Amino acid sequence: MHALLLMTLGALAGLSVVVATAWTLTEHSPRSMADRFSNEEQLLDLSLTVLRACVGTDNLEPEADSTAHQLLATLSSVTGSLVPAVLLGIVLIKMFALRPFVWRRRASISHAWTADFPGYSRRNADSDDAIIAVRFYNRFDNLSVVDLRARAHLRYLERSPHDGSLVIYKQWLRVLDAQGEPADERSWLAVERGAPFTVWIPVEAPVTGLPFHRIQGKDLSGSHGVKLLVRLTARTVGLGTEVADERWFDLEAGDFELGRFVPLQPDLDKDVWQWEGWPDFDGLTPPGPGGGEPGRGVPPPPPGVPRTRSRRPSS
C-alpha cells in the first residue's frame, strides 16, 4: 500500500511539473523565455500550486483569453476530483484483497500413519493408504487472524456420456478435523504469526507414484485437468474484516510430491523464523518409511528477515 501511495504521489508531482512548464510557456507576458524559467522560486511555487490543484485542495486561475491555460486548469481540476477516489480505491482494494498466507509450494503425499494425530495414525498403522498434507503460514507481524477455516475440493473434467463433450465436475473432500477425524472442514481458533498450519486430506487409497488415480473413492483414471483446491477463510482482529485465500494444486503440473514435509521444532525462546527446520519449509524429509527425497526448496523470508542458508536434515 505504501508503494502504491508513493507511486501515485510521484506521478502527481511529475504531472504538476509538466503543467507548470506548459503554463509558463503559454502565458501572455512580455518577458523572454529565459527570464520566465530563470526565476526558480516562482516556478517552484507554481508547481506546488498545480500539485494542490491536482489533489483537489486548490484551484488554478487561468488567463481569461488563454485557451491553453483554460485547458491546463481543467486538466488539474479533473485530476483533483479523481485522485481522492483513486486513493480511496487503493486503500479499499488492499484492505479487502488482503492475502496474509504463504503456501508451501507443493502438497506432500505420505503414508496415512505419518499424520500428526495419534488416534488416526494408530488406526492406519497397518494400512498402505496415503494422506495429502497442505501447509501454510501467516506472514504478517501486525495482523492477528482468528477463526480460520479450511475446506478442500476436487475439480476434474470428464466426457459426457451424452455427446462426448468435456464437463466440469466438483467434489468436496473430507479433511481431518482437530481430533483427527474426517470432517467437512478444519478450523483453528487463532493463527500465530509464522507458525506452520497443515490441512490433512485423506486419500483413502495407496499412492505409489504420481499422478495418483484415486482419492476418497473417486477414480481419476479417466479424468482430465484434475486440480485440488484448498480454500481458507478467517477474520482479522482490529480490522474486523474477513480474509480469504486459496491454493490450486494441479495433479499434472508437478504440484504434488511423494514424501513427508520437513517438520519444524518450535522454540518459544526464539523468533519463529529461527526455529529448527524453518529454512527447509518447502523440503521433504530424507528417504525412509514414508518415502520421498530431501527437499531443495527454501521459502522466501518474510519482510525484514534475512535469508539464511538451508540446513539439510540429517539422515
Side-chain angles (χ1 to χ4, degrees):
M1 186 182 298
H2 295 91
L4 289 173
L5 292 176
L6 289 176
M7 290 173 60
T8 303
L9 292 177
L12 289 175
L15 176 63
S16 300
V17 172
V18 172
V19 172
T21 301
W23 189 281
T24 303
L25 288 171
T26 57
E27 69 179 358
H28 294 159
S29 173
R31 296 184 303 159
S32 65
M33 289 296 175
D35 291 338
R36 298 181 192 183
F37 287 99
S38 62
N39 192 337
E40 298 179 356
E41 184 176 354
Q42 183 178 1
L43 287 174
L44 177 61
D45 290 343
L46 179 58
S47 298
L48 293 176
T49 302
V50 175
L51 180 59
R52 292 194 297 271
C54 288
V55 296
T57 60
D58 204 344
N59 293 308
L60 290 175
E61 296 181 2
E63 296 177 351
D65 56 347
S66 175
T67 303
H69 278 198
Q70 294 289 344
L71 291 175
L72 292 173
T74 301
L75 173 63
S76 300
S77 298
V78 171
T79 303
S81 64
L82 294 178
V83 165
V86 172
L87 293 178
L88 180 60
I90 291 174
V91 173
L92 292 178
I93 289 173
K94 294 299 292 183
M95 180 180 297
F96 291 105
L98 195 63
R99 302 191 68 177
F101 303 108
V102 175
W103 298 81
R104 189 175 183 272
R105 286 198 291 265
R106 293 185 179 91
S108 62
I109 304 177
S110 58
H111 285 101
W113 47 263
T114 64
D116 290 331
F117 298 97
Y120 183 85
S121 181
R122 285 193 298 269
R123 291 195 301 272
N124 290 273
D126 299 324
S127 172
D128 291 329
D129 286 354
I131 193 166
I132 299 172
V134 176
R135 309 199 87 199
F136 59 91
Y137 63 88
N138 172 21
R139 65 188 176 94
F140 286 119
D141 291 331
N142 56 353
L143 183 68
S144 297
V145 180
V146 297
D147 296 334
L148 175 66
R149 300 180 182 276
R151 303 192 72 177
H153 84 250
L154 193 69
R155 193 207 70 179
Y156 54 92
L157 286 77
E158 291 185 350
R159 296 289 178 183
S160 169
H162 174 65
D163 56 11
S165 61
L166 286 174
V167 180
I168 299 178
Y169 295 92
K170 297 181 176 68
Q171 173 182 325
W172 285 108
L173 296 176
R174 294 181 295 277
V175 301
L176 297 187
D177 63 14
Q179 288 73 42
E181 299 293 335
D184 291 336
E185 67 178 17
R186 174 73 161 96
S187 62
W188 293 269
L189 179 62
V191 182
E192 294 81 1
R193 188 266 303 187
F197 289 78
T198 306
V199 180
W200 296 93
I201 307 170
V203 179
E204 298 178 0
V207 176
T208 57
L210 294 175
F212 56 85
H213 298 291
R214 178 174 292 274
I215 181 171
Q216 296 190 11
K218 171 58 185 173
D219 185 2
L220 300 172
S221 56
S223 302
H224 308 275
V226 179
K227 289 187 178 182
L228 170 68
L229 170 68
V230 177
R231 177 176 290 124
L232 306 176
T233 57
R235 297 194 65 81
T236 59
V237 176
L239 294 177
T241 59
E242 183 176 275
V243 294
D245 200 358
E246 62 184 28
R247 177 72 160 84
W248 288 90
F249 296 90
D250 193 329
L251 184 60
E252 300 176 355
D255 290 339
F256 294 85
E257 58 187 355
L258 295 177
R260 197 180 193 278
F261 54 81
V262 173
L264 272 66
Q265 301 298 329
D267 188 342
L268 299 182
D269 295 327
K270 296 181 180 179
D271 187 80
V272 63
W273 312 123
Q274 305 302 322
W275 287 358
E276 181 181 351
W278 176 257
D280 282 315
F281 180 80
D282 274 304
L284 292 176
T285 56
E293 294 291 334
R296 297 181 182 272
V298 177
V305 178
R307 182 183 291 275
T308 58
R309 293 182 62 87
S310 176
R311 300 189 301 271
R312 302 295 179 204
S314 59
S315 57

